[in-house]
Amino acid sequence: MYTSFEKAAQDARITGKVLETLEFNKIKSRLTSMAGSPFGRTVCEKLFPSSDFDSVSEFLKETRDTVEYFDREGQVTVSGINDIRDALDYACSGGTLSMKDLLDTAAFLRSVFRISKALQKADIDNNAFCERIRMLVPDNELETEISFCILSEEEMNDRASDELYSIRRKIRDAQSGIRETLDKLIRNHSSSLQEQLVTLRNDRYVVPVRAEKRGDIPGIVHDTSASGQTVFIEPMAVVEANNRIREYLAAEREEIQRILAMLSAQVATVSDVLIADIALVGEIDFMSAKAQLAIAMKATAPILNREGKILLRKARHPLIDEKTVVPIDFEVGVSYRTLVVTGPNTGGKTVSLKTCGLLTLMAMAGLMIPCLDHSEVSVFGKVLADIGDEQSIEQSLSTFSSHMKNLVSILGEVDESTLVLVDELGSGTDPSEGAALATSILDEFYKRGAVTVATTHYKELKGYAINTEGVENACCEFDTDTLSPTYRLLIGLPGVSNAFVISRKLGLSEEIIRSARSFLSEESVRFEELLSSAEQKNRESEKLRKEIREMRELVKKQSDDLVTQKRWIEDGKKKILDEAREEKRAIIEETLVECDRMLSDIRTGIKESSHREAEEMLRKIRGNLRAGLHDLEAETRDLSPGDIPGERPKEIVLGQTYFSSVIGGTGLLVKLPDSRGGCVIESGGVRVTVSKDTLRVPQPDGTNETGKPKKRKRSGNVQSPSSTDRIRMNKTQTTMPELMLIGKTSEEASVELDRYLDNCVLSGIKSVRIVHGKGAGVLRSTVSSILKRDPRVSSYRLGGVGEGGDGVTVAEL
């Protein structure tokens, strides 16, 4: 069975000893253990890195898509499935499957149905994992048929067919008749029986008879006990019935075989669908295993490139316990193609080398790798490695010979698409000759364009890396205070031997150390001192960078928290104020309507004696409500332009319709803004001066007017849902700046004037003329008395020349 993975990558796959050297096979074994089906395990076992960039990109996307699905919807497990491939081949060749094989097929069909149901929860677009599930073809009908007919690996359901049910009923009837006959025989010959029971021998019903009493019960002897004291006799009275049962049993076996053959033929009929589903389940299980491995390793999907760049951020070797592994930052192939890693033994050089190689192979196999986001890995044509001591006594190879044999093989294959990993380059021979060979081999790798990572102890290679463009030094940090490696990789800095420092701390006398230093050239001493100083300064700067980074992260977190908290407070405050204003407005509106209703009732039903007192009380209530309404409107007008719902107009155009929060609705712009930003809007025949900052583009759904849906409902005598803005607009259109009271009584004039002042306040009229006539002066006195104590009136006076004289009172509101 070949999957899309193998079909695309078979010719480009990377095989050979390098997979074992870099321990890729251990990763593959761990992946295989996470597969839940034999089909998935088969795919995992055939996993190899690929050198085809497009294939690797597709494989990595499959893994990333599966992890994304698992994060959103939970894992899809493939388990409880046995391998039915051999059984399927046998059925296709015309064979009859056993009950176990058919039950395994039904279990597989149930798993297909269960997996396909995962898309009912989420079907993510352009997701490879969902696409595989979508391609499954469940066959519930065949699964139901098999599960109904077969109860277990050894039992067929009575109702599997009418014929089987009839045969088994006959068997039960015959068995019942035999038992009745034998029960009578046992009661009549109890003394002749060893035990008073009925048993089976060779599928025939018999009774245990004492050997010395065998003549008492005529019949056929089928067996004798080990002691010889008991013989099992089939009485002649049940021989014929036993014969019939044997015939029925034979018929039952034939019917069971016929049913199994029928079910096997049905399996063969849908074999193409089953084969396709097997392949898909294998891929789904394989993708699930890759996702589970990624989650277990806290891995991420690297960015792929073709340029030989490897850029790993906080990379961890996946086979080292995550509690002890030290993450490393690794870079090669960006500004240099060769990296020379130096440092003491057991300092982490080989682990760094293997981390680079193994994570590269994992990425090329479509696996996510344990490192931070935005890490990069190149897809190489070949990955070649010489790591470890492989000296062989049988082949008479020394350590140096073994390494050199591997290097000769690598030199025969290396090109610009190759990643070369070499551990302890040039070791195992004379240091001067080994260093020369190592330098020459590195230079050859560089000339051929390969990306090379090599570890060494030779100081000559440090100098080669310093003096050669495209070659860089790196070292594994060593803590001279604790005399132990930190396992951190420092790129750009060659390693220091630290031999003298370590010896001094271990107690070697200063005299011996001075003597040893005298054997070194002055240039070597200065070089080591320079490296030691650079490493010390690098540690100090790294410590400072870490502190600065942590401080920046802390400040950023605190800043983000403050911004979030401020936004939350502002949003909460605005919401509370909006709700409070809406509630206050609704209460005032309802109360005003209720006052009008009460006033109407007073006029029609209250006696004259209490009429004035009631009206006076209502006037005070209405006055207080008007004051509250005035305050509420002031609050609304004080809202900042940013609180007004809707979009600001990019350009204010004469004759265009705009929404304004001042009038609570839309109107036609009849005058452009003046120097102070005031413009004139006409609505309902009334012109109002508003600030240009309150203008908004009208929304077709009317959200400008309300900003949010109404919360309160009214019924009965209470006015239908309307805002104060609508009341004001209505009063603006119907109220005139003059009131005619001539001909009214004092009581009628009082009520009329009170209502008129309400309407004027709501409509925004600031100056009114009240015509009461001259006459005896009764109405003039009544008007003066009312205006004097009304809080809505700021001033009033009698009309002047041309205004009506004493017959008119002019009031400013």
Side-chain angles (χ1 to χ4, degrees):
M1 179 181 66
Y2 290 102
T3 67
S4 61
F5 186 100
E6 294 172 290
K7 289 177 182 176
Q10 195 171 13
D11 295 335
R13 67 182 187 176
I14 293 178
T15 59
K17 190 177 178 181
V18 68
L19 302 183
E20 182 179 349
T21 301
L22 294 175
E23 300 179 290
F24 178 80
N25 291 333
K26 292 183 180 180
I27 297 295
K28 188 161 72 172
S29 297
R30 187 174 174 186
L31 176 70
T32 304
S33 68
M34 292 183 169
S37 71
F39 318 124
R41 287 190 285 273
T42 298
V43 180
C44 291
E45 289 165 357
K46 294 181 179 180
L47 174 66
F48 288 96
S50 172
S51 59
D52 182 76
F53 183 86
D54 294 334
S55 298
V56 173
S57 298
E58 180 183 348
F59 308 151
L60 195 58
K61 180 182 182 303
E62 292 177 357
T63 309
R64 187 170 55 245
D65 287 353
T66 309
V67 171
E68 177 191 356
Y69 182 93
F70 283 8
D71 287 342
R72 288 180 54 174
E73 304 298 332
Q75 295 188 10
V76 176
T77 56
V78 180
S79 59
I81 299 177
N82 291 325
D83 196 343
I84 62 170
R85 286 173 287 192
D86 291 341
L88 190 57
D89 291 340
Y90 185 59
C92 290
S93 66
T96 299
L97 301 179
S98 67
M99 293 187 188
K100 180 182 183 304
D101 289 338
L102 287 167
L103 287 175
D104 287 345
T105 303
F108 173 75
L109 291 171
R110 279 194 299 276
S111 294
V112 169
F113 178 70
R114 176 176 54 80
I115 295 170
S116 64
K117 283 182 64 178
L119 287 188
Q120 295 179 4
K121 296 191 297 180
D123 190 355
I124 307 171
D125 292 336
N126 194 30
N127 184 285
F129 186 70
C130 291
E131 183 61 30
R132 295 294 195 286
I133 297 177
R134 198 180 297 113
M135 294 167 64
L136 290 172
V137 182
D139 192 336
N140 295 336
E141 185 176 345
L142 178 58
E143 186 276 324
T144 302
E145 181 74 10
I146 294 174
S147 299
F148 175 77
C149 292
I150 304 175
L151 300 179
S152 68
E153 295 182 5
E154 298 178 352
E155 184 180 3
M156 180 78 73
N157 187 359
D158 290 354
R159 297 288 183 176
S161 72
D162 293 339
E163 181 65 20
L164 182 61
Y165 179 76
S166 176
I167 292 171
R168 286 183 172 176
R169 186 180 62 184
K170 291 176 181 178
I171 292 174
R172 286 192 294 269
D173 291 344
Q175 290 172 338
S176 178
I178 289 175
R179 285 189 173 278
E180 289 179 3
T181 301
L182 292 180
D183 285 342
K184 291 180 183 179
L185 186 146
I186 288 172
R187 288 195 297 272
N188 295 334
H189 298 82
S190 59
S191 60
S192 301
L193 299 177
Q194 192 75 20
E195 293 181 86
Q196 295 186 14
L197 56 84
V198 178
T199 187
L200 282 171
R201 286 295 186 275
N202 301 322
D203 292 331
R204 301 181 75 87
Y205 285 92
V206 298
V207 291
V209 181
R210 298 177 186 275
E212 64 273 15
K213 299 286 187 176
R214 59 185 298 176
D216 294 350
I217 301 177
I220 302 171
V221 176
H222 284 275
D223 198 4
T224 304
S225 67
S227 64
Q229 296 180 358
T230 305
V231 291
F232 296 93
I233 297 177
E234 178 186 4
M236 294 304 297
V238 298
V239 170
E240 186 60 30
N242 270 328
N243 289 338
R244 284 197 303 274
I245 288 177
R246 290 182 70 89
E247 293 174 1
Y248 294 149
L249 290 174
E252 179 190 34
R253 286 192 293 272
E254 290 179 5
E255 180 61 15
I256 290 175
Q257 199 65 20
R258 185 193 70 80
I259 294 172
L260 292 177
M262 176 194 69
L263 294 174
S264 299
Q266 292 182 27
V267 171
T269 301
V270 297
S271 60
D272 290 342
V273 174
L274 288 173
I275 290 172
D277 280 348
I278 286 172
L280 287 169
V281 168
E283 290 194 45
I284 290 168
D285 193 15
F286 169 62
M287 292 164 70
S288 297
K290 290 197 295 180
Q292 292 177 51
L293 181 64
I295 293 170
M297 294 191 304
K298 300 176 182 176
T300 62
I303 301 169
L304 299 177
N305 66 78
R306 294 184 174 96
E307 293 78 37
K309 294 188 293 185
I310 300 177
L311 182 60
L312 303 176
R313 300 175 60 244
K314 302 301 179 185
R316 308 179 306 277
H317 195 290
L319 298 177
I320 300 177
D321 189 345
E322 64 176 338
K323 296 179 181 178
T324 59
V325 66
V326 178
I328 62 170
D329 292 323
F330 192 95
E331 179 182 329
V332 69
V334 181
S335 56
Y336 47 87
R337 302 281 288 184
T338 302
L339 185 67
V340 179
V341 185
T342 53
N345 290 327
T346 70
K349 299 192 306 296
T350 304
V351 172
S352 299
L353 194 70
K354 285 189 171 183
T355 300
C356 168
L358 179 56
L359 266 56
T360 299
L361 291 178
M362 288 174 63
M364 292 170 63
L367 300 176
M368 294 169 71
I369 58 177
C371 59
L372 295 185
D373 284 331
H374 307 298
S375 294
E376 287 193 54
V377 172
S378 177
V379 176
F380 292 95
K382 297 175 226 172
V383 177
L384 307 174
D386 174 42
I387 300 175
D389 185 359
E390 300 181 9
Q391 69 173 355
S392 170
I393 296 177
E394 294 179 358
Q395 298 179 18
S396 301
L397 293 176
S398 65
T399 299
F400 175 76
S401 300
S402 174
H403 282 301
M404 191 53 59
K405 183 179 178 182
N406 289 338
L407 290 171
V408 170
S409 176
I410 290 172
L411 284 167
E413 298 183 59
V414 71
D415 57 26
E416 68 277 359
S417 68
T418 307
L419 172 64
V420 180
L421 306 171
V422 184
D423 191 29
E424 299 296 348
L425 179 61
S427 63
T429 187
D430 178 77
S432 59
E433 293 181 355
L437 279 172
T439 303
S440 179
I441 291 171
L442 276 183
D443 200 49
E444 183 65 21
F445 288 155
Y446 179 74
K447 288 177 181 178
R448 296 193 189 184
V451 175
T452 306
V453 182
T455 68
T456 183
H457 283 287
Y458 295 136
K459 65 180 180 180
E460 289 83 356
L461 288 182
K462 303 175 189 178
Y464 168 75
I466 292 173
N467 296 319
T468 307
E469 184 179 358
V471 182
E472 185 59 270
N473 272 303
C475 69
C476 289
E477 188 180 54
F478 189 87
D479 191 337
T480 55
D481 293 330
T482 62
L483 299 183
S484 61
T486 66
Y487 303 106
R488 292 176 61 247
L489 187 67
L490 305 177
I491 294 180
L493 196 66
V496 184
S497 66
N498 293 311
F500 295 147
V501 176
I502 294 172
S503 300
R504 181 180 293 108
K505 286 185 175 292
L506 291 177
L508 190 64
S509 70
E510 192 65 33
E511 182 180 350
I512 296 177
I513 293 174
R514 280 196 303 270
S515 175
R517 292 175 70 91
S518 67
F519 291 109
L520 293 176
S521 66
E522 185 177 347
E523 181 181 351
S524 297
V525 172
R526 284 202 304 271
F527 181 70
E528 287 297 323
E529 289 177 348
L530 179 64
L531 290 182
S532 179
S533 174
E535 185 175 343
Q536 177 65 27
K537 293 184 183 304
N538 182 77
R539 279 200 299 268
E540 293 174 357
S541 64
E542 180 62 28
K543 182 179 179 181
L544 287 174
R545 281 196 298 269
K546 182 179 178 182
E547 291 177 355
I548 293 171
R549 186 167 56 249
E550 290 175 351
M551 189 175 298
R552 283 178 176 172
E553 291 175 354
L554 179 61
V555 170
K556 185 178 183 304
K557 182 178 182 303
Q558 292 176 343
S559 177
D560 291 343
D561 290 344
L562 288 174
V563 170
T564 302
Q565 187 176 9
K566 181 181 178 182
R567 188 183 302 116
W568 180 82
I569 292 173
E570 290 176 349
D571 291 346
K573 177 182 176 181
K574 185 177 183 302
K575 181 179 178 182
I576 292 170
L577 290 176
D578 288 345
E579 291 178 352
R581 293 188 189 102
E582 186 67 25
E583 188 74 14
K584 186 175 180 181
R585 180 182 289 109
I587 292 172
I588 291 173
E589 290 175 9
E590 291 178 359
T591 309
L592 283 171
V593 173
E594 184 66 17
C595 286
D596 286 339
R597 186 189 64 78
M598 291 172 61
L599 187 57
S600 177
D601 291 343
I602 289 170
R603 293 197 192 100
T604 57
I606 299 180
K607 294 180 180 180
E608 184 68 23
S609 59
S610 57
H611 194 179
R612 294 182 180 177
E613 295 179 2
E615 284 195 354
E616 182 66 25
M617 178 181 69
L618 283 175
R619 268 195 294 271
K620 289 182 179 179
I621 294 173
R622 290 163 66 89
N624 292 334
L625 289 174
R626 288 190 207 97
L629 190 59
H630 176 76
D631 293 342
L632 179 62
E633 295 307 317
E635 290 178 17
T636 305
R637 286 194 295 272
D638 288 341
L639 288 175
S640 66
D643 294 329
I644 302 173
E647 180 184 356
R648 287 176 178 265
K650 295 181 180 178
E651 181 181 0
I652 299 176
V653 181
L654 192 67
Q656 183 70 38
T657 299
Y658 296 101
F659 168 85
S660 174
S661 61
V662 175
I663 65 173
T666 58
L668 191 68
L669 186 74
V670 296
K671 184 178 179 182
L672 290 172
D674 56 22
S675 59
R676 292 180 296 176
C679 53
V680 179
I681 286 243
E682 181 177 336
S683 178
V686 177
R687 296 189 175 190
V688 181
T689 300
V690 300
S691 171
K692 68 177 183 179
D693 291 335
T694 68
L695 299 183
R696 295 291 183 270
V697 177
Q699 298 297 317
D701 57 0
T703 53
N704 287 105
E705 298 187 12
T706 58
K708 61 181 179 179
K710 293 287 185 181
K711 296 184 178 180
R712 298 178 62 86
K713 294 183 179 180
R714 304 173 180 86
S715 59
N717 293 327
V718 181
Q719 194 176 10
S720 60
S722 60
S723 68
T724 305
D725 298 325
R726 292 195 183 94
I727 295 175
R728 183 192 303 110
M729 289 299 298
N730 182 53
K731 297 302 182 184
T732 300
Q733 297 174 24
T734 59
T735 303
M736 302 300 293
E738 183 176 280
L739 175 64
M740 179 61 69
L741 296 180
I742 296 175
K744 304 283 186 181
T745 66
S746 294
E747 289 77 10
E748 291 172 341
S750 297
V751 174
E752 191 75 19
L753 178 58
D754 185 65
R755 184 184 298 113
Y756 175 70
L757 292 176
D758 270 347
N759 295 339
C760 289
V761 169
L762 289 175
S763 62
I765 297 174
K766 299 300 183 183
S767 180
V768 297
R769 293 176 72 251
I770 304 168
V771 182
H772 43 69
K774 297 181 180 179
V778 176
L779 283 179
R780 182 174 65 241
S781 177
T782 301
V783 169
S784 176
S785 177
I786 292 173
L787 296 180
K788 182 177 181 179
R789 64 175 182 269
D790 197 307
R792 293 167 291 186
V793 180
S794 60
S795 65
Y796 66 93
R797 61 180 173 79
L798 291 176
V801 178
E803 291 180 326
D806 294 344
V808 173
T809 298
V810 178
E812 300 296 330
L813 305 184

